[in-house]
Amino acid sequence: MKAGRPVPGAPFLCAVLCALAVCMAGGCGRRAPALTPPPASNGLPRADPGYLQWLERQSMLGRVPELAAQVSGTERLWHNSSTARRVPVLLRAAPNWLALDARVLASGTPLFRALHSARLPERLPALGLEGLFLAPVGEQGDVWTARSAAGGQPRGRAATAAASFMPDPAWGSGEDFARLAEMAEAAGVQTGGELPPAATGLGPDFMLQARQAPRFGGVYAMISVPREAWGDLPEAAEEWDCRPLEPEAVARLADRGLLPPALMRDRLAWAAPSGWAATGEVRGVDGQLRRWVYRHGPAVLRPVLHWQDPGGQARRIFSAASILQTGLEGQTLTGLRFEALMGLDVPPAEGASGGDGSAPDRAALTPGLEALDEAAREIHRYGGWAMQADALPAALAPLVLDGPVDFTRDAATPAAAARALREGDAAPLAAALRAALDAGIEQRRCARGPDAPGGFASGTRGDTAASLALRALGLPARIPAGAGERRALRDACLFLLGWRIGLPGLAFFSPAELAGALPPEGGGDGVTPVWDETPGRAGAAPPMPLAFGALAEQEGDDGSFLRAVSRLLLARKATGLALGELVAVSGGRDGWVATVSSLPEGGMWLVVGNASPRRRALSVPLPRPARSARDAAPDASGRAPRLAAGGRAVEVELDGRQCRHVLLEKQ
C-alpha cells in the first residue's frame, strides 16, 4: 500500500481483501441474475413462490445478511472511529476528481472494462486528477418497469435511480470494478461513488413489500389502502402502473386517517418535487389483492425509503451498502443523497419553526439530517469519507457540516457562476460567495462539480458548459470555426470552472466539460467518449460534438483546453489550496468579482473573474500585503507571468468573460 493513501490500516486492508476475494468467488460482486426470471404469476391465487425467491436474490434487503456477516462479530468494527474527523487527509491526497456517469458516456464495452483497457487511472495524476468518482453505478430501477408512469412523469436520467446493489450492465461486473480499483490503487488514484439514494428506483424491494413478502415490511414509506377506499385512488391498468395522487385524493385519504394531513416537507420552499402515489392491484403472498399508496421523490417511480420505520429496514440497507462500497470495495469517498428524507415527518401540533423554508431549522428537516449523520458514521467505521451529494440550499450547509458528514455539495457557487457568465453580471456570484463567508461555512469541506450528468444544466434543459458559454457569447451552439471565437469559448469555459478550481474544498470535473461537449444536432440527450475514441453502445444516445476535441487527443497537446485545466489543477494540489480558507470577497459591481483564499503554508490564492464582455484593468484589494504576485500556473510555453503587487492591492488585466488565478507570496 502506498504511503498516504487514506484507507483503513494494513491489517484491516488485508482482512478486507481476503473477504472481497471470498465474496467475489461466492457472488458478492455483480451476481448475474437468471436470464429469464420466473413468471410473476402462474395462475395460482397468490404470488408465485419461485418468482418471489428470485426477486429476493435481486433485492437490496435480501443481500443484507450476506454483507453484514462480513463484519458482524469481527474485529473489523474496531479499526476506525465512527466519529473520526480526517478531512485534511483526503484533501491532501485527492483534491481534484474526474466524475464519470455511464448514462452520458459512449463505450463499446462496459465502462469499468473500458476504463481499465484505456489505463485511465494511470493517466490521471499527470493531469492533476487524483480521484475517480463513479456514479450512479447501481442497477437502475427502469429495468424493472416496462411502462412509464402516467401523467407525463419523466423517464430516463431524470426519473430513474438505483434499485439494486449490483452494478448496472453499462458499468460491468464486480470483477471488472475490482480490476479497475487495483489499477487505481497502484497509480495512487482514489475511487469513490454513491450509495443508493433515499428515493430509489422502483425495483425488487418495493415489489416484495407490496406483495407482503416476509421480512420486507417497512422498507418503503407505503400504506395498504382498504378496499372501501379504493374509489379515492386513480385507476391503474396493472400492478406497477403507478399513478400520482391529486391533492383532492390525498385530502380524502387524510380524512380517513390513512395519510397525514401535512408533512414538514410540505413547508420547505426549496424541497425537490415529491408527493404520494398509488400502485395498481398487487397480489400478495397470501393471495389477497391490495393497493398501496407510497411516498415518492422527484418522479412517481422513485419510491422513498422509510428511515423511521421501527423495523429499521432502510437503515440496514444503507449499512450493508456502506459495508460493500467502503469496507469491501475500498472506495475512499462516498456520496449520500438523502434529500428525499428532509422533512418527511409530521409537524408537532404547535407547528414547526422554520418550516416555511425561510430559516434553517434542524427539527424541520427530520429525519434527513439524522440519516446523514448515521450513514456518515457508518462510512467512517470502515475507513472512508462521507459527502452530502444533493443540491441543498447554501443556508443548510452549517447544519449539515455540524454533524459527522465530511463534505457537503456546494451547488450555489457553480450555478451563480453560470448566471454571471450568462447575464454578464457578477453581483449574484459575489453575493453567494459573501453569504458563505459571512455564514462561516468551512470552504474546505465543500464539494463543487457539474450539476447535471453531461455538465452544466443551469438555464435551459440540456445545457452543457460549452453551450452555456456559447450562448453567453452570443454564438450558436456549434463548434466555432474561427480562432477568435474558439479562444473566447475557451476563456468562457475556464470562467465557469474557475470557481471550482480557485476555491478550497473538493473539485469535480466531467469528461463533457473537459471536451467542450455540445448538445447533439436535433437536441435531446447525447453521449461523449469515455477518453479514447470508442464506438457507442447499440441504441445509445447520439454523440455530442466536442468543441475542444476528444480527451485522448487533448492529452498530448500542451495548448489544449484539457492541459490548461490540468496545469491549474496541478498548482491547486501543489499549493494545498483545497485545505485553504476563504478570507475575502471583493467586487460584484461592473461585472467583476474576486476571492482570496489563504494557503496552508503561507501566501494566498486570488481568483478574479470578469463576467462582462469588456476588457478591463482592475486593482484588486487584498486582506493583507503580498510580496509578489504571479499567475498560479504556467501557460503552454511554461511561463508564469508576474503581476504588479503593491501593498494591499494587485493589478490584474482581464479580457471579457475571462477568469485569472494569481498566486500571492507572503511578505
Side-chain angles (χ1 to χ4, degrees), residues 85 362 373 396-405 445:
R85 284 291 180 87
R362 191 173 185 90
D373 291 351
L396 298 186
L399 288 177
V400 172
L401 296 177
D402 188 48
V405 169
R445 296 177 64 193

Side-chain angles (χ1 to χ4, degrees), residues 136-160:
V137 168
E139 189 173 65
Q140 298 293 293
D142 57 352
V143 304
W144 294 93
T145 49
R147 296 188 181 184
S148 63
Q153 292 297 316
R155 296 277 293 176
R157 297 174 192 168
T160 59

Side-chain angles (χ1 to χ4, degrees), residues 485-505:
E485 291 181 351
R486 290 196 298 270
R487 185 168 55 252
L489 172 61
R490 173 185 170 128
D491 285 347
C493 287
L494 283 172
F495 179 97
L496 288 173
L497 301 186
W499 306 99
R500 295 180 225 166
I501 297 171
L503 291 171

Side-chain angles (χ1 to χ4, degrees), residues 536-575:
R537 298 185 302 273
M544 304 175 81
L546 306 180
F548 303 136
L551 299 181
E553 297 173 359
Q554 293 192 63
E555 193 176 4
D557 179 3
D558 284 339
S560 68
F561 180 79
L562 173 64
R563 282 295 184 179
V565 173
S566 72
R567 286 190 288 270
L568 287 167
L569 297 183
L570 289 167
R572 189 176 194 268
K573 172 75 179 295
T575 59

